[in-house]
Structures are given as C-alpha cells and as structure tokens.
Amino acid sequence: MNVSSLTIPGRCLVMGIVNVTEDSFSDGGKYIDVDNAIAHAKQLVAAGADMIDVGGESTRPGAVRVDASVERDRVVPVIKALHDAGIHTSVDTMRASVADAAAKAGVSMINDVSGGLADPDMFSVMADSKIPVCLMHWRTVQFGDAAGQADHGGDVVADVHAVLDDLVNRATKAGVAEDQIVLDPGLGFAKSREDNWRLLQALPEFISGPFPILVGASRKRFLAGVRKERGLDVTPIDADPATAAVTAVSAHMGAWGVRVHDVPVSRDAVDVAALWRSGGTYNG
C-alpha cells in the first residue's frame, strides 16, 4: 500500500482529528470514551473527512506521557471499528509497539510527530507494516516542563528541509519505500510564531519536493494569535477560521493533505481551492 492509494484525485485530502485523550489542548477528555470517539470519527467522515487521525497521547506543550499499554488500549479499538466500517485511519503515535498494534488493527497510515526518532524500533515497524507513513519535523521531542522552542540555527526553513531529508534517509535505509512517505513540516512543534509563518511562506518549496506534504496547522497557538493581536480573548477553537484560511491556501498551493479539527469548514476550504485551481470543473 502506498500514498497514492490514499491520495484524493483533484483535491487536497482532509484528515479529521480524533483525540482519545484526557489532556489534548483543544478537546481533551471529550472523546476519551471509545464509543464516543468512534461516533465522532463517523461524524467527521459524514462532514467530509477522507481519513481520521487517531491519537491516544497528547503532544501539547507540557504534556505528560502515558503508558504504552494505555495509549494502545485507547487507539486500537477505535481504529479497528473504523477499519471495519471502511474508513481510512492514521495512528498518531511515537511508539513502535502502538504503531504495530494499529497496523494489525487495519490502520492506513502511521503518523509519527517525532519523525521516527522517539522510538528506536519505529522505522523497522514502519517498514514491516508496508503502509504509508508520515514523518514530521520536531527538533526537540520533549515533554513536561522542558517542552519549548528549539534552536533552528537561524534558518528554520533550511533546518526543516535538512531534518526531513535525514528522516527520509533513515526510513528508506530501514526498508520504507519512498512511495510510502509523506512529510510534515511540523508547524507549532518547538517553533516560534515567526518560525511558523516563515514555514507557511516557504510551503511551495516543500510541496515542489519529491514527497507529498501534510499541513497540520489546526488550532495552533500562532493561529489563535491572529485574533489575539487584535486584542481579543481567544481559545484554541477560536483559531478555526484562521485554520480554514491556511487550509484553503495550502490546498491551492498543492498540499497533499491537511490535518484539522473542524472538518466541515476545512472541507469547504479544500473544495473551494479545488474549484479555483480547476476553473470550476472539479467535481469531487
């Protein structure tokens, strides 16, 4: 199975987020119950999601890691139920054991925000699974009070290019096929406000490269800051309009996919971009 089997002809893929966690930054606890998580995932698909990204461990700043068994027990039943319903899923995990269990449950993609670096067995599990993988840039994979911004050597774009190239080399040496790889610049992960906007400005550079690009800007702090700079009080959900704007522009530029919380608005944004690019002939 390669990335083309998940690619949506004519438009950007919409990946809906389901956090089966207690402490995610925007919806922690809402879907910790497996049945609620499955129901929410199906609602997202009905609203236009092409794939559901299932996570059982928060990676927000200051998050505390959960046991591998807890993470596995959170995500595997959701993935299996959605797979049985014919719904594509990705598993948002940095643990090889969780990725392996998810693959056996029918997951369609392994989405590792550490780019495979947090667990020494991850690349081999990715290779053995023979399914698409998403490798994300995160310069400092840290938790708790140590989480924060990283040193990108004065040029965040060059740093992200270099790290992603290294991750691809590590993955392919382990046996992951190039046509199974998606890359994510890692917006919001140990990056300053300026870093994030610079990466978005440079998005065409990444999209023009050899690998499909996933954009994960949804409800990130720097987007909530769009309203905050106008003197408004904001919550992560208040970043949804700005997220939709990023979705539309990313889709118009040719991003492979967007990872979002608010699926209906982002699906509209993706469809608008597809119609814009096609001159109104897109029929998806």
Side-chain angles (χ1 to χ4, degrees):
M1 184 178 183
N2 54 37
V3 176
S4 64
S5 64
L6 301 176
T7 301
I8 307 300
R11 68 166 170 83
C12 178
L13 175 144
V14 177
M15 178 186 287
I17 299 169
V18 173
N19 293 313
V20 194
T21 63
E22 296 177 340
D23 59 348
S24 290
F25 71 95
S26 70
D27 58 4
K30 290 182 70 175
Y31 310 112
I32 189 66
D33 177 81
V34 168
D35 289 338
N36 286 345
I38 294 168
H40 180 58
K42 290 181 177 179
Q43 290 171 351
L44 295 182
V45 171
D50 303 295
M51 178 186 292
I52 300 298
D53 190 48
V54 183
E57 179 180 63
S58 175
T59 53
R60 65 174 177 79
V64 177
R65 301 210 72 177
V66 300
D67 289 339
S69 60
V70 172
E71 184 186 359
R72 184 179 60 248
D73 290 347
R74 286 175 175 179
V75 302
V76 168
V78 178
I79 288 166
K80 186 178 186 307
L82 297 179
H83 173 71
D84 291 345
I87 296 170
H88 282 303
T89 58
S90 58
V91 60
D92 180 359
T93 185
M94 295 187 290
R95 287 193 171 99
S97 62
V98 176
D100 182 57
K104 291 173 181 174
V107 81
S108 304
M109 172 183 279
I110 297 169
N111 179 21
D112 184 349
V113 298
S114 79
L117 300 181
D119 188 323
D121 295 324
M122 181 60 89
F123 286 124
S124 61
V125 167
M126 288 177 170
D128 291 344
S129 73
K130 301 189 185 305
I131 59 175
V133 303
C134 183
L135 306 175
M136 195 193 82
H137 176 279
W138 189 1
R139 171 60 78 175
T140 55
V141 183
Q142 298 174 326
F143 286 84
D145 294 337
Q149 296 175 14
D151 180 5
H152 302 289
D155 188 339
V156 68
V157 175
D159 181 57
V160 171
H161 276 300
V163 170
L164 291 179
D165 286 347
D166 178 62
L167 295 179
V168 168
N169 288 335
R170 291 170 183 256
T172 54
K173 284 181 181 179
V176 178
E178 288 191 356
D179 64 3
Q180 292 174 306
I181 296 174
V182 172
L183 300 179
D184 181 342
L187 295 166
F189 282 81
K191 297 176 179 69
S192 69
R193 170 189 178 279
E194 292 75 16
D195 289 338
N196 291 312
W197 287 114
R198 181 69 188 92
L199 286 170
L200 284 176
Q201 185 182 43
L203 190 58
E205 294 181 25
F206 293 96
I207 291 172
S208 65
F211 297 98
I213 298 297
L214 176 68
V215 176
S218 185
R219 295 183 181 174
K220 294 295 172 69
R221 187 176 303 174
F222 79 102
L223 289 183
V226 171
R227 288 189 174 185
K228 192 172 183 179
E229 289 175 6
R230 302 202 304 268
L232 302 175
D233 292 332
V234 294
T235 66
I237 294 175
D238 292 321
D240 283 344
T243 299
V246 171
T247 292
V249 176
S250 299
H252 185 65
M253 288 181 174
W256 173 81
V258 290
R259 180 180 179 274
V260 297
H261 296 84
D262 187 345
V263 166
V265 172
S266 280
R267 177 56 192 269
D268 285 351
V270 161
D271 286 345
V272 166
L275 288 163
W276 198 319
R277 285 167 61 92
S278 67
T281 61
Y282 166 72
N283 184 20

